[in-house]
Amino acid sequence: MKAVIATRNRGKLRELQKLLADFGLKILPLDQYPAIGPIEEDGSSFFENAMKKARIVAEKTGLIAIADDSGLEVDVLNGAPGIYSARYAGEKASDEENYRKLLAVMKDVPGWERGAQFRCVMVVYRPDGKWITTEGICRGRITSVPRGNRGFGYDPVFMPEGSTCTMAEMGQEEKNRISHRGKALKLLKERIRQILY
Ligand code: ITT
């Protein structure tokens, strides 16, 4: 059975392909469907955005679509940047511009108030309208300087709970084991039969 990953984010795609490897699905990236233009993320929650991406891609391809909407929620910023994580420093901001802005905003925040979490909401949507959703959270803290060059997004400034390195210093398998995306996918694995068969 084929499924399209409804993301244009290369970092996410890499992680999802690895995590979905043993689902028994043939995974197709979204760039095989150039006719599907950009999908505006105008929802007010991770769930609404993930649902919109999955539904549009499933309807346009006639295949099962898997979407991930995710972001970083910083305690002292009341959950910001949240659903705006990809464009925190501006509409076309790079990953580095986004995490540098976060470090600048938090420059006077002491260590004990630097708690944060990554959240990932996944939606699997069938072209006939049936869907399931799961969520994963990874708690940690924001470092004062970036470290590491693996992963993507805010990984260089996020140190997961119980770890002494940032997510950008971890190997992919280690990150997948503890990450918000890894946790959402683990739950999905338990439930995906409900929608595939
Ligand atoms: P798609 O909508 O095409 O999937 P996107 O990058 O726009 O790609 P989101 O709207 O879900 O995706 O925004 C996710 C942002 O949250 C992402 O760009 C990163 O800045 C951040 N993020 C999510 N997961 C992350 C992770 O595992 N490590 C670091 N940053 C992450």
Side-chain angles (χ1 to χ4, degrees):
M1 197 168 312
K2 291 182 186 166
V4 188
I5 305 279
T7 183
R8 291 208 163 77
N9 180 314
R10 298 252 133 229
K12 274 190 196 175
L13 181 65
R14 216 172 35 238
E15 289 182 11
L16 289 170
Q17 278 175 324
K18 177 118 186 158
L19 285 159
L20 287 163
D22 54 351
F23 270 51
L25 286 170
K26 181 166 167 44
I27 302 295
L28 305 172
L30 192 53
D31 56 17
Q32 287 195 8
Y33 298 90
I36 304 175
I39 299 168
E40 199 195 344
E41 293 185 31
D42 51 5
S44 58
S45 64
F46 291 113
F47 171 72
E48 278 180 34
N49 286 334
M51 186 60 141
K52 182 175 179 184
K53 289 187 272 192
R55 181 178 52 73
I56 290 176
V57 171
E59 285 170 355
K60 293 203 171 173
T61 60
L63 296 170
I64 290 173
I66 304 175
D68 157 323
D69 204 65
S70 47
L72 179 68
E73 300 174 322
V74 178
D75 300 352
V76 78
L77 304 178
N78 298 317
I83 57 170
Y84 304 105
S85 295
R87 41 195 154 121
Y88 187 44
E91 212 44 60
K92 293 225 156 61
S94 66
D95 286 347
E96 182 168 352
E97 286 166 336
N98 284 330
Y99 72 66
R100 293 243 176 241
K101 174 173 174 184
L102 180 66
L103 291 182
V105 167
M106 292 182 69
K107 73 176 179 344
D108 296 324
V109 178
W112 65 88
E113 282 181 11
R114 298 179 77 89
Q117 61 192 21
F118 275 126
R119 186 190 297 272
C120 171
V121 174
M122 313 262 331
V123 170
V124 182
Y125 197 99
R126 251 173 36 179
D128 66 1
K130 192 170 175 196
W131 56 271
I132 55 173
T133 184
T134 60
E135 181 177 281
I137 286 175
C138 178
R139 286 285 314 166
R141 49 201 321 103
I142 305 301
T143 58
S144 49
V145 289
R147 275 174 24 203
N149 53 16
R150 293 164 143 170
F152 68 98
Y154 296 85
D155 283 343
V157 298
F158 185 84
M159 191 180 289
E161 238 166 38
S163 176
T164 53
C165 52
T166 68
M167 270 188 167
E169 294 175 305
M170 293 178 174
Q172 183 145 92
E173 276 179 18
E174 191 182 356
K175 175 176 173 183
N176 285 347
R177 215 170 20 248
I178 59 164
S179 78
H180 47 311
R181 188 162 296 105
K183 289 178 182 167
L185 253 297
K186 190 160 179 267
L187 292 173
L188 202 60
K189 205 168 194 172
E190 290 164 13
R191 298 184 41 205
I192 198 143
R193 296 186 70 82
Q194 292 172 10
I195 198 157
L196 290 187
Y197 310 107

